[in-house]
Each structure stands twice: as structure tokens, then as C-alpha cells.
Amino acid sequence: LLQGVCVSMKAFLFVLSLAVLVAAVDESDVIVLSTDTFDEIVEKNDFLLVEFYAPWCGHCKSLTPEYAKAATALKSAEPPVALAKVDATVEQTLGERFGVQGFPTLVWFKHGSNSPYDGGRKAPEIIEWCKKKSGPPTKAVTAEVMDAEIDGNEAVVVGFFKDKESELYTAFFEAAKTFSDIPYLEVSEESALAKHSATAPSIVLFRQFDEPRVDYTGAATKEDIVSFLKKESMPPALEFNEQNQKKIFGGDIKKQAILFMDKEASDYKTQLATFYAAGKKFTGEVVFVYIDKEHENVFQYFSLDPKKDAGTLMGLNMALDMRKYKYTGALETDAIVEFVKTLVDGTATPFLKTEDEPAEPLDGSVTVIVGKNFERIVLDETKDVLVEFYAPWCGHCQKLAPAWEKLAKHYQDSNVVIGKLDGTKNEIEGVSVEGFPTIKFWPANNKKEPVTYDGGRTFKELKAWMGEHQTTSTAGEPKKEEL
């Protein structure tokens, strides 16, 4: 998998616009690991963050300067945290050992035990995450510091405790270790309790949007506190940017309403207020995201033109193969609410990207397939059809191209079709593509259940596989069943 597929397509498509050009970076504080040194370094460092990367990975290149800055800052932290990296295309056994399926993958080691990293990709976020994981998850502060933290953060949770004996304190402390997206403060001063009309023990969420204070009234369990905080610390609408990346794509909520906007438009504030009002109706169910036209790649991923499609609302379900839904009504709160309800209950009509049919049906000997001609070509019950789902930027796809062309030429005078489909510009209902290249086979005698190709990438291997699976002969006649 690490060698043969450009993985993490979903992450690539959505964080594409966040990639930046990387200049020369001082990585002297990042430890370079190999199979020979890995276990030794893990044993020597109580706290260690390891990045598994690929040299060709754009996200890895974007992470490099941030990771290096964090490494420098964390090596002198108390306690110190070491940052390291592994080229998983070279040290493949390490990638397999830790289940690396995409790049970059970051793994946290604490006293030798490992767990997934789920923090942000900017240096301050990496530093904050590592400090929290290596130190106490909550911070005891004075009333003065508490007020400063409340004013300086979008959301802060405060535990008012006079001692650490209560069940609520234990649950609060455990919740802080589980959900670390916001600061957790402990306050015991009487002046703080009096100023905020709080009792001890109690938990209060302070935030910079909607009602500025939300008191926790649930059970004294970690799970209930985490659920409360995840729901109430999320604003009704988030702007698409690097800082909000984890909240948008890394949380438990997999359904999103995305408004594509133009900040320079005269009705920008009105549109945003309308969208914000609709978002309040779906707290904890749908993430509302608004994105400016400067993020051209994201517009294009949704088949939108930044110059003329600002004001378009799309739905997205990440749990259903990134399925998209297009809203065609007026940007009014009630109408948006009704549209998002269909996204929640699963009755929304999917929107599938497609290119126009090509003027030339062949690229060399390979049949060019797009969304508009997929049914006519691939579901033709007289043809065996083998399709490569590719991405123009995918190095593995480019490497496969000569063998794919040779295979297509071999079958050009038969009822076997060798085709290719640009998976970044076309989507097919019911066809799941997790990475590039993905190769699927639709036999003439069974179009309902395509077979995923899992063989090698040489012409010889491709031809041998087709010889075993094709149901029509290369001469165009149906293959005769053996008696």
C-alpha cells in the first residue's frame, strides 16, 4: 500500500488549498530515525512525537517548517519532548509496524507506549498538544489569570473546585486528557466563585460566541463532559482556514454545510449572518463552514468557479465517500435549514462531479471515461471493462501509464475495454475510490459487482490478471465455458 497507492485522497482534496511553498528549513532539532535506531530513540525519550512521511507528499512538505519550529521549542520544555521523523518509503517495515496508511502520519510515544497524534499542523498547535500530553491536562490558575484566559480564547472550560476529592473533579480531569481542543482551567479562589456566581464543585464553559457562558449540568462522567464540550465549544459557523482545519475535518461530526463566499461582495455580511443563524439549529449534528474565493482549489474540487459561484451552498458527508449535495434555493435561513435537514436525514440528492465527454474518445489506445459517459461505456453488458481511477498529480499513476497503454493496445480489437477516469474531476455513484490509482473491473456478465484489482503494475501482471477474469475473448467473442 505504501509503495503502490497515493493514499489519503480525502485529506489531500480538502487541505489542498492549505499547502504552502517550503523554503530552506533548519531541521537540526528533528531526529532522523531508521529501523536500526528507532527502538533506541523511543527508549531514551520519555516523550516523543514521530512523523512518518514520504518525500513526494505535499502535506509533509507543508508540515516541515512547522514541525522543525516545534522541535526546537519542545526540546527545552519541561519536561522535554523530542520530535523525530521517518521516511516511510525507505523504512517500510516501520510504516507497516505502526499501520501507516497515509502521509503524514504522526504517532505519539509516552514512556514507550504509542497512540495517534490528533493535533493541528501549525507549530503552536503541535507545541500546545505535546505540552498537554506530557504534562498535567489541566492548569490551576488564579482568578486574574482565569479572566485573562477567558478573554484571550474562543472557548475555555473552567472547573471550580475547592478540593480534588469529588467525582466531578475526577471526571473533569479525565475529560481533559481525552478532549484537548480547548484550555482546561482549575480555580479555587472565593473571589473567582463570587465574581462568576459559581459554586464548587462545578464546571462552566466560557466562549466568545452566542451565550458567553454555558454551565455543565450533566453527570459526573468523562464521556458526558466530553460530549458537552465538543458540542458547546463549536461556533455555529467556522471559517475555512488552517487554524480551524482540525475542527472542520478531524472531529466526530462528518456532515458539513459549506458556503462558498466572496469577502469583497457587498452582501457578504448579510449572507454570513443568515448562514450563522441556520448553523445554530444544527449544533452537534452538522459543521457549518464558510470559505472565501481565495481558496480556489477547494472551489474547483466542488466544480465551482471562484469568479462566479460565490454564494453557493454545498452539503458534504465525509462518512459516505465524501458525497456532495448542491443547494439551489435562496440564501435564507429557513430555506437553508430545510436543506440541511435533508443532509441530516439522508434524503438529500447527491451531486456528482463530471467532465464533459471528450472530443477524442481515446488517449492513445486507452478509452477516456468521464461521469457523463460512464454508464454507456462501463455498464455495457457486452463488454469487459477495466478502469483506472487516477489523479493527474499522482506519481504512481504516471508510472503505471506505459503498461496501461500497452494493455489497452493489446485489447484494442476485442470486447475488452481498457479505460481511465480522472478521479479528481469525476465521481460515480456507488463507486468508492480511497486512493490513486484504484483499478476496478466490470465484467460483461456482472455489472452490479465490480472487482477491485489487487495485482502488480507491469503489463505482464495486468495481462495475466485479465486473462483470469475476462468473460469475453480478445477476438470479441464470448468466452466459452469449459465442460
Side-chain angles (χ1 to χ4, degrees), residues 30-150:
V30 178
I31 304 169
V32 178
L33 298 178
S34 66
T35 303
D36 294 336
T37 63
F38 191 91
D39 291 331
E40 178 187 351
I41 295 299
V42 170
E43 186 177 350
K44 286 174 60 177
N45 292 274
D46 290 340
F47 304 104
L48 175 69
L49 182 64
V50 178
E51 176 200 2
F52 292 85
Y53 74 97
W56 45 259
C57 168
H59 297 308
C60 304
K61 293 175 183 177
S62 298
L63 177 62
T64 297
E66 303 298 327
Y67 200 68
K69 291 176 192 173
T72 300
L74 287 167
K75 77 172 186 178
S76 57
E78 186 54 47
V81 177
L83 269 62
K85 66 178 184 177
V86 176
D87 183 345
T89 66
V90 175
E91 308 295 342
Q92 295 175 27
T93 57
L94 285 175
E96 293 169 1
R97 176 179 166 186
F98 292 99
V100 175
Q101 296 291 307
F103 301 115
T105 291
L106 282 80
V107 180
W108 172 249
F109 292 85
K110 181 176 182 178
H111 302 299
S113 298
N114 69 83
S115 59
Y117 172 84
D118 61 359
R121 298 286 180 85
K122 301 295 287 183
E125 295 170 324
I126 296 170
I127 293 167
E128 181 65 25
W129 191 94
C130 289
K131 284 185 175 181
K132 190 153 194 175
K133 291 296 182 180
S134 60
T138 66
K139 182 167 63 173
V141 298
T142 63
E144 184 179 358
V145 171
M146 181 193 76
D147 289 338
E149 290 279 349
I150 291 172

Side-chain angles (χ1 to χ4, degrees), residues 56-253:
W56 45 259
C57 168
H59 297 308
C60 304
K61 293 175 183 177
S62 298
L63 177 62
T64 297
E66 303 298 327
Y67 200 68
K69 291 176 192 173
T72 300
L74 287 167
K75 77 172 186 178
S76 57
E78 186 54 47
V81 177
L83 269 62
K85 66 178 184 177
V86 176
D87 183 345
T89 66
V90 175
E91 308 295 342
Q92 295 175 27
T93 57
L94 285 175
E96 293 169 1
R97 176 179 166 186
F98 292 99
V100 175
Q101 296 291 307
F103 301 115
T105 291
L106 282 80
V107 180
W108 172 249
F109 292 85
K110 181 176 182 178
H111 302 299
S113 298
N114 69 83
S115 59
Y117 172 84
D118 61 359
R121 298 286 180 85
K122 301 295 287 183
E125 295 170 324
I126 296 170
I127 293 167
E128 181 65 25
W129 191 94
C130 289
K131 284 185 175 181
K132 190 153 194 175
K133 291 296 182 180
S134 60
T138 66
K139 182 167 63 173
V141 298
T142 63
E144 184 179 358
V145 171
M146 181 193 76
D147 289 338
E149 290 279 349
I150 291 172
D151 292 339
N153 289 277
E154 186 174 56
V156 175
V157 59
V158 178
F160 293 95
F161 299 105
K162 291 185 177 179
D163 58 57
K164 300 182 180 182
E165 305 303 320
S166 68
E167 289 184 7
L168 188 62
Y169 176 82
T170 300
F172 176 77
F173 191 82
E174 291 301 315
K177 292 194 287 186
T178 303
F179 178 65
S180 58
D181 286 10
I182 59 175
Y184 288 70
L185 307 179
E186 295 178 29
V187 178
S188 59
E189 291 181 13
E190 289 291 346
S191 60
L193 275 75
K195 179 178 179 179
H196 294 282
S197 301
T199 58
S202 66
I203 298 171
V204 179
L205 177 71
F206 294 92
R207 59 191 189 182
Q208 301 294 334
F209 53 89
D210 292 349
E211 294 296 325
R213 170 179 174 155
V214 186
D215 288 72
Y216 177 70
T217 58
T221 67
K222 173 189 72 175
E223 292 76 15
D224 285 354
I225 294 172
V226 168
S227 178
F228 163 78
L229 293 175
K230 283 184 175 181
K231 178 179 178 180
E232 298 296 344
S233 65
M234 179 79 78
L238 290 167
E239 182 175 8
F240 181 90
N241 55 36
E242 270 185 295
Q243 288 70 37
N244 288 332
Q245 175 185 330
K246 183 187 172 186
K247 291 181 181 179
I248 295 172
F249 301 116
D252 297 331
I253 304 172

